[in-house]
Amino acid sequence: MISEVTGIRRIRMLYLQLLYRCNFECLHCFHGKRLQHADAFTADEAINLLTLMRDQYGTEAVTLLGGEPFVYRDLTQVVRYAKRDLGLRVEICTNGYRIERRLTEIGPDLDLLRVSLEGIGSTNDHIRKFGSYRSALSALEIAQRLGVRTGATMTVTSRNIEEVLPLARVLQGYGVEQLKLHCLRPVGNAADHPELLITDPTAYTCLRRWLDVAGLEIEVIVDEDLSEAGAPDACVPNGGPVEIERIEADPRGALTMSCKAVGKDSHAFWYDKLADHIDHRPSPTDELTLAVPDVVYGRV
């Protein structure tokens, strides 16, 4: 259905939110009250969607998210099927909180473990959870011992923008290869914490300048939103795209092609879990915007 409506024939990566449930209640979480919802993919539903995306759209990689994917009961089954049966590149994005046992189980089938951090020490713990900073670093240490490649994510806020470079240098010491910086959007929990929003857009310009001259070994990928002008609402080539980088599936089956649509119920497609196919069900906004390319700093 996606190809018929949009002309898209290939989607390189599926971002699969396995469930809403999480063991954190981060101040900036875009899910907000949905974290209390029971919506989740069963193992069979997740496997069916992965198989459909690989067979119909040439998908070659999956990033497993939540909620918190490590509280998902069937995580090991989904990871092993994605890697061993479908041959996909498998990445997990996690808060890294007490994941040691399960990480050891899935380590051989994991291509990248990406841990979310929002600064150093108490800065991170205030936004995420007390003790989460040390636990995340412990997870990175274990991944390093297991030979699992690691990355990190950070949502840039008024509270942590000055800790981007210090955190990047800490992560380098743990062998982390890549840090992704995201823009805070006022949805979910973030809508209740406007103090976290950066109101001076020139702050992003300064951040980019710091990154330009920092001489970091770690690769830093920056949301295009982190600029004075911000990212465009859409980046659709004339005649429509044939290939896109990613599509994101939430635990209800809603599919979005733009990070600006995530958390806003602006989506153009649904995955019917029972029938195992993708439908086009326009929402009132029927947003078909695509993800904007990121800007990369540091090591390539």
Side-chain angles (χ1 to χ4, degrees):
M1 177 61 74
I2 294 174
S3 57
E4 286 84 348
V5 174
T6 67
I8 294 168
R9 295 287 182 266
R10 187 169 184 272
I11 302 170
R12 195 189 72 79
M13 177 178 283
L14 173 66
Y15 278 45
L16 178 54
Q17 298 173 17
L18 292 166
L19 74 174
Y20 281 129
R21 190 161 62 89
C22 186
N23 47 8
F24 282 18
E25 294 181 3
C26 299
L27 300 184
H28 64 310
C29 181
F30 69 87
H31 283 312
K33 293 180 180 178
R34 284 184 183 159
L35 293 178
Q36 302 167 16
H37 295 180
D39 306 67
F41 279 86
T42 66
D44 286 343
E45 289 166 350
I47 286 169
N48 288 342
L49 178 57
L50 288 168
T51 304
L52 182 154
M53 294 300 298
R54 188 201 63 171
D55 292 349
Q56 294 191 16
Y57 298 99
T59 298
E60 61 191 44
V62 60
T63 296
L64 299 173
L65 313 97
E68 169 51 44
F70 275 90
V71 303
Y72 180 68
R73 182 183 60 188
D74 297 317
L75 181 64
T76 300
Q77 180 183 351
V78 173
V79 167
R80 287 178 177 170
Y81 193 91
K83 171 55 64 177
R84 301 181 188 183
D85 293 83
L86 299 179
L88 300 177
R89 180 180 179 276
V90 181
E91 175 180 327
I92 292 181
C93 189
T94 173
N95 58 35
Y97 192 70
R98 299 178 179 177
I99 65 172
E100 291 83 355
R101 180 183 62 80
R102 301 197 76 191
L103 176 57
T104 302
E105 285 181 3
I106 66 174
D109 297 297
L110 193 59
D111 292 285
L112 185 73
L113 180 79
R114 190 178 296 280
V115 175
S116 297
L117 286 159
E118 311 307 335
I120 294 175
S122 60
T123 301
N124 173 84
D125 287 4
H126 175 73
I127 295 173
R128 302 188 69 80
K129 183 174 182 174
F130 179 76
S132 61
Y133 180 72
R134 294 307 313 171
S135 190
L137 295 185
S138 175
L140 292 173
E141 285 181 337
I142 291 166
Q144 195 172 34
R145 290 202 298 268
L146 292 171
V148 177
R149 296 173 53 237
T150 54
T153 65
M154 178 182 187
T155 300
V156 180
T157 71
S158 62
R159 298 282 178 85
N160 65 16
I161 189 168
E162 293 186 356
E163 293 191 10
V164 170
L165 290 182
L167 178 62
R169 293 190 173 102
V170 168
L171 293 172
Q172 285 180 171
Y174 284 83
V176 176
E177 299 179 12
Q178 186 187 82
L179 171 62
K180 282 188 174 182
L181 301 179
H182 297 305
C183 177
L184 180 66
R185 297 176 180 85
V187 297
N189 289 348
D192 297 325
H193 293 280
E195 73 278 4
L196 295 178
L197 294 171
I198 293 176
T199 55
D200 179 7
T202 63
Y204 298 137
T205 302
C206 292
L207 173 60
R208 288 169 176 268
R209 288 174 182 162
W210 296 339
L211 291 169
D212 278 335
V213 300
L216 295 170
E217 296 177 8
I218 189 173
E219 179 185 52
V220 181
I221 298 178
V222 181
D223 265 356
E224 188 63 27
D225 285 15
L226 297 180
S227 66
E228 292 185 50
D233 289 331
C235 55
V236 184
N238 291 334
V242 174
E243 177 178 335
I244 61 172
E245 179 67 16
R246 59 176 263 193
I247 196 167
E248 186 152 351
D250 78 13
R252 302 166 302 168
L255 298 171
T256 59
M257 298 184 214
S258 168
C259 56
K260 287 196 170 188
V262 172
K264 295 182 180 179
D265 268 343
S266 295
H267 37 254
F269 295 95
W270 284 81
Y271 174 60
D272 187 329
K273 297 178 181 180
L274 296 179
D276 189 26
H277 69 261
I278 294 172
D279 292 323
H280 178 56
R281 295 191 218 160
S283 69
T285 54
D286 198 13
E287 187 168 302
L288 278 170
T289 57
L290 307 183
V292 177
D294 297 312
V295 178
V296 180
Y297 295 85
R299 179 175 56 81
V300 176

